[in-house]
PDB file of all heavy atoms in Angstrom:
ATOM      1  N   GLU R 164     -75.392  36.534  63.514  1.00 97.00           N
ATOM      2  CA  GLU R 164     -74.461  37.551  63.198  1.00 97.00           C
ATOM      3  C   GLU R 164     -75.122  38.912  62.970  1.00 97.00           C
ATOM      4  O   GLU R 164     -76.258  38.989  62.683  1.00 97.00           O
ATOM      5  CB  GLU R 164     -73.688  37.270  61.834  1.00 97.00           C
ATOM      6  CG  GLU R 164     -74.467  37.427  60.666  1.00 97.00           C
ATOM      7  CD  GLU R 164     -73.679  37.785  59.308  1.00 97.00           C
ATOM      8  OE1 GLU R 164     -72.572  38.172  59.435  1.00 97.00           O
ATOM      9  OE2 GLU R 164     -74.271  37.622  58.285  1.00 97.00           O
ATOM     10  N   ASP R 165     -74.410  39.992  63.308  1.00 98.00           N
ATOM     11  CA  ASP R 165     -74.737  41.318  62.874  1.00 98.00           C
ATOM     12  C   ASP R 165     -73.632  41.734  61.784  1.00 98.00           C
ATOM     13  O   ASP R 165     -72.615  41.035  61.745  1.00 98.00           O
ATOM     14  CB  ASP R 165     -74.692  42.295  64.068  1.00 98.00           C
ATOM     15  CG  ASP R 165     -75.737  42.042  65.148  1.00 98.00           C
ATOM     16  OD1 ASP R 165     -76.786  41.502  64.821  1.00 98.00           O
ATOM     17  OD2 ASP R 165     -75.416  42.162  66.312  1.00 98.00           O
ATOM     18  N   TYR R 166     -73.889  42.924  61.133  1.00 98.00           N
ATOM     19  CA  TYR R 166     -72.855  43.194  60.167  1.00 98.00           C
ATOM     20  C   TYR R 166     -72.971  44.711  59.808  1.00 98.00           C
ATOM     21  O   TYR R 166     -73.878  45.394  60.177  1.00 98.00           O
ATOM     22  CB  TYR R 166     -73.100  42.378  58.856  1.00 98.00           C
ATOM     23  CG  TYR R 166     -74.485  42.668  58.207  1.00 98.00           C
ATOM     24  CD1 TYR R 166     -74.689  43.769  57.364  1.00 98.00           C
ATOM     25  CD2 TYR R 166     -75.571  41.811  58.430  1.00 98.00           C
ATOM     26  CE1 TYR R 166     -75.923  44.067  56.811  1.00 98.00           C
ATOM     27  CE2 TYR R 166     -76.787  42.133  57.908  1.00 98.00           C
ATOM     28  CZ  TYR R 166     -77.036  43.187  56.986  1.00 98.00           C
ATOM     29  OH  TYR R 166     -78.165  43.475  56.511  1.00 98.00           O
ATOM     30  N   PHE R 167     -71.906  45.145  59.103  1.00 98.00           N
ATOM     31  CA  PHE R 167     -71.866  46.531  58.510  1.00 98.00           C
ATOM     32  C   PHE R 167     -71.555  46.339  57.060  1.00 98.00           C
ATOM     33  O   PHE R 167     -70.552  45.713  56.698  1.00 98.00           O
ATOM     34  CB  PHE R 167     -70.942  47.409  59.236  1.00 98.00           C
ATOM     35  CG  PHE R 167     -71.177  48.849  58.817  1.00 98.00           C
ATOM     36  CD1 PHE R 167     -71.852  49.687  59.744  1.00 98.00           C
ATOM     37  CD2 PHE R 167     -70.750  49.395  57.675  1.00 98.00           C
ATOM     38  CE1 PHE R 167     -72.213  51.018  59.412  1.00 98.00           C
ATOM     39  CE2 PHE R 167     -71.089  50.766  57.352  1.00 98.00           C
ATOM     40  CZ  PHE R 167     -71.697  51.556  58.231  1.00 98.00           C
ATOM     41  N   PHE R 168     -72.433  46.784  56.115  1.00 98.00           N
ATOM     42  CA  PHE R 168     -72.308  46.559  54.641  1.00 98.00           C
ATOM     43  C   PHE R 168     -72.146  47.896  53.880  1.00 98.00           C
ATOM     44  O   PHE R 168     -73.041  48.723  54.173  1.00 98.00           O
ATOM     45  CB  PHE R 168     -73.476  45.762  54.241  1.00 98.00           C
ATOM     46  CG  PHE R 168     -73.434  45.399  52.699  1.00 98.00           C
ATOM     47  CD1 PHE R 168     -72.594  44.466  52.253  1.00 98.00           C
ATOM     48  CD2 PHE R 168     -74.202  46.175  51.799  1.00 98.00           C
ATOM     49  CE1 PHE R 168     -72.540  44.092  50.882  1.00 98.00           C
ATOM     50  CE2 PHE R 168     -74.229  45.835  50.474  1.00 98.00           C
ATOM     51  CZ  PHE R 168     -73.355  44.906  49.944  1.00 98.00           C
ATOM     52  N   HIS R 169     -71.175  48.045  53.042  1.00 98.00           N
ATOM     53  CA  HIS R 169     -71.171  49.219  52.280  1.00 98.00           C
ATOM     54  C   HIS R 169     -70.298  49.121  51.028  1.00 98.00           C
ATOM     55  O   HIS R 169     -69.326  48.253  51.074  1.00 98.00           O
ATOM     56  CB  HIS R 169     -70.764  50.477  53.084  1.00 98.00           C
ATOM     57  CG  HIS R 169     -69.550  50.472  53.671  1.00 98.00           C
ATOM     58  ND1 HIS R 169     -68.896  49.347  54.372  1.00 98.00           N
ATOM     59  CD2 HIS R 169     -68.533  51.364  53.846  1.00 98.00           C
ATOM     60  CE1 HIS R 169     -67.745  49.626  54.907  1.00 98.00           C
ATOM     61  NE2 HIS R 169     -67.453  50.914  54.532  1.00 98.00           N
ATOM     62  N   LEU R 170     -70.556  49.870  50.099  1.00 98.00           N
ATOM     63  CA  LEU R 170     -69.714  49.901  48.753  1.00 98.00           C
ATOM     64  C   LEU R 170     -68.419  50.615  49.179  1.00 98.00           C
ATOM     65  O   LEU R 170     -68.465  51.739  49.707  1.00 98.00           O
ATOM     66  CB  LEU R 170     -70.465  50.558  47.785  1.00 98.00           C
ATOM     67  CG  LEU R 170     -69.744  50.776  46.377  1.00 98.00           C
ATOM     68  CD1 LEU R 170     -69.563  49.592  45.678  1.00 98.00           C
ATOM     69  CD2 LEU R 170     -70.520  51.913  45.506  1.00 98.00           C
ATOM     70  N   VAL R 171     -67.309  50.039  48.773  1.00 98.00           N
ATOM     71  CA  VAL R 171     -66.029  50.727  49.091  1.00 98.00           C
ATOM     72  C   VAL R 171     -65.110  51.160  47.885  1.00 98.00           C
ATOM     73  O   VAL R 171     -64.126  51.815  47.989  1.00 98.00           O
ATOM     74  CB  VAL R 171     -65.139  49.852  50.037  1.00 98.00           C
ATOM     75  CG1 VAL R 171     -65.857  49.644  51.448  1.00 98.00           C
ATOM     76  CG2 VAL R 171     -64.909  48.357  49.478  1.00 98.00           C
ATOM     77  N   PHE R 172     -65.558  50.665  46.656  1.00 98.00           N
ATOM     78  CA  PHE R 172     -64.827  51.004  45.435  1.00 98.00           C
ATOM     79  C   PHE R 172     -65.797  50.770  44.276  1.00 98.00           C
ATOM     80  O   PHE R 172     -66.506  49.776  44.279  1.00 98.00           O
ATOM     81  CB  PHE R 172     -63.532  50.193  45.308  1.00 98.00           C
ATOM     82  CG  PHE R 172     -62.533  50.676  44.239  1.00 98.00           C
ATOM     83  CD1 PHE R 172     -61.579  51.536  44.578  1.00 98.00           C
ATOM     84  CD2 PHE R 172     -62.744  50.273  42.983  1.00 98.00           C
ATOM     85  CE1 PHE R 172     -60.669  52.030  43.703  1.00 98.00           C
ATOM     86  CE2 PHE R 172     -61.818  50.818  42.006  1.00 98.00           C
ATOM     87  CZ  PHE R 172     -60.879  51.720  42.396  1.00 98.00           C
ATOM     88  N   PRO R 173     -65.754  51.654  43.246  1.00 97.00           N
ATOM     89  CA  PRO R 173     -64.876  52.791  42.954  1.00 97.00           C
ATOM     90  C   PRO R 173     -65.193  53.955  43.901  1.00 97.00           C
ATOM     91  O   PRO R 173     -66.454  54.085  44.309  1.00 97.00           O
ATOM     92  CB  PRO R 173     -65.207  53.229  41.555  1.00 97.00           C
ATOM     93  CG  PRO R 173     -65.890  51.967  40.887  1.00 97.00           C
ATOM     94  CD  PRO R 173     -66.527  51.325  42.062  1.00 97.00           C
ATOM     95  N   GLU R 174     -64.241  54.773  44.198  1.00 96.00           N
ATOM     96  CA  GLU R 174     -64.472  55.859  45.222  1.00 96.00           C
ATOM     97  C   GLU R 174     -65.632  56.809  44.733  1.00 96.00           C
ATOM     98  O   GLU R 174     -66.363  57.228  45.717  1.00 96.00           O
ATOM     99  CB  GLU R 174     -63.160  56.598  45.387  1.00 96.00           C
ATOM    100  CG  GLU R 174     -62.113  55.787  46.052  1.00 96.00           C
ATOM    101  CD  GLU R 174     -60.799  56.471  46.130  1.00 96.00           C
ATOM    102  OE1 GLU R 174     -60.638  57.329  46.902  1.00 96.00           O
ATOM    103  OE2 GLU R 174     -59.813  55.895  45.423  1.00 96.00           O
ATOM    104  N   ASP R 175     -65.778  57.102  43.445  1.00 96.00           N
ATOM    105  CA  ASP R 175     -66.739  58.105  43.148  1.00 96.00           C
ATOM    106  C   ASP R 175     -68.163  57.613  43.226  1.00 96.00           C
ATOM    107  O   ASP R 175     -69.088  58.274  43.152  1.00 96.00           O
ATOM    108  CB  ASP R 175     -66.476  58.508  41.636  1.00 96.00           C
ATOM    109  CG  ASP R 175     -66.587  57.452  40.653  1.00 96.00           C
ATOM    110  OD1 ASP R 175     -66.722  56.314  40.957  1.00 96.00           O
ATOM    111  OD2 ASP R 175     -66.443  57.854  39.440  1.00 96.00           O
ATOM    112  N   LYS R 176     -68.327  56.286  43.482  1.00 96.00           N
ATOM    113  CA  LYS R 176     -69.703  55.658  43.658  1.00 96.00           C
ATOM    114  C   LYS R 176     -69.995  55.461  45.148  1.00 96.00           C
ATOM    115  O   LYS R 176     -71.136  55.040  45.465  1.00 96.00           O
ATOM    116  CB  LYS R 176     -69.733  54.349  42.883  1.00 96.00           C
ATOM    117  CG  LYS R 176     -69.730  54.502  41.378  1.00 96.00           C
ATOM    118  CD  LYS R 176     -70.039  53.107  40.712  1.00 96.00           C
ATOM    119  CE  LYS R 176     -70.292  53.218  39.204  1.00 96.00           C
ATOM    120  NZ  LYS R 176     -69.167  53.353  38.392  1.00 96.00           N
ATOM    121  N   CYS R 177     -69.075  55.718  46.017  1.00 97.00           N
ATOM    122  CA  CYS R 177     -69.185  55.550  47.457  1.00 97.00           C
ATOM    123  C   CYS R 177     -69.932  56.633  48.171  1.00 97.00           C
ATOM    124  O   CYS R 177     -69.864  57.843  47.842  1.00 97.00           O
ATOM    125  CB  CYS R 177     -67.861  55.323  48.134  1.00 97.00           C
ATOM    126  SG  CYS R 177     -66.875  53.949  47.677  1.00 97.00           S
ATOM    127  N   ASP R 178     -70.885  56.283  49.150  1.00 96.00           N
ATOM    128  CA  ASP R 178     -71.638  57.216  49.835  1.00 96.00           C
ATOM    129  C   ASP R 178     -71.022  57.325  51.288  1.00 96.00           C
ATOM    130  O   ASP R 178     -71.384  56.581  52.131  1.00 96.00           O
ATOM    131  CB  ASP R 178     -73.119  56.736  49.965  1.00 96.00           C
ATOM    132  CG  ASP R 178     -73.921  57.714  50.757  1.00 96.00           C
ATOM    133  OD1 ASP R 178     -73.436  58.775  51.209  1.00 96.00           O
ATOM    134  OD2 ASP R 178     -75.183  57.488  50.996  1.00 96.00           O
TER     135      ASP R 178
END
Side-chain angles (χ1 to χ4, degrees):
E164 72 153 343
D165 299 324
Y166 63 81
F167 196 97
F168 178 79
H169 60 318
L170 177 70
V171 294
F172 194 91
E174 291 173 72
D175 61 353
K176 291 186 170 77
C177 294
D178 180 3

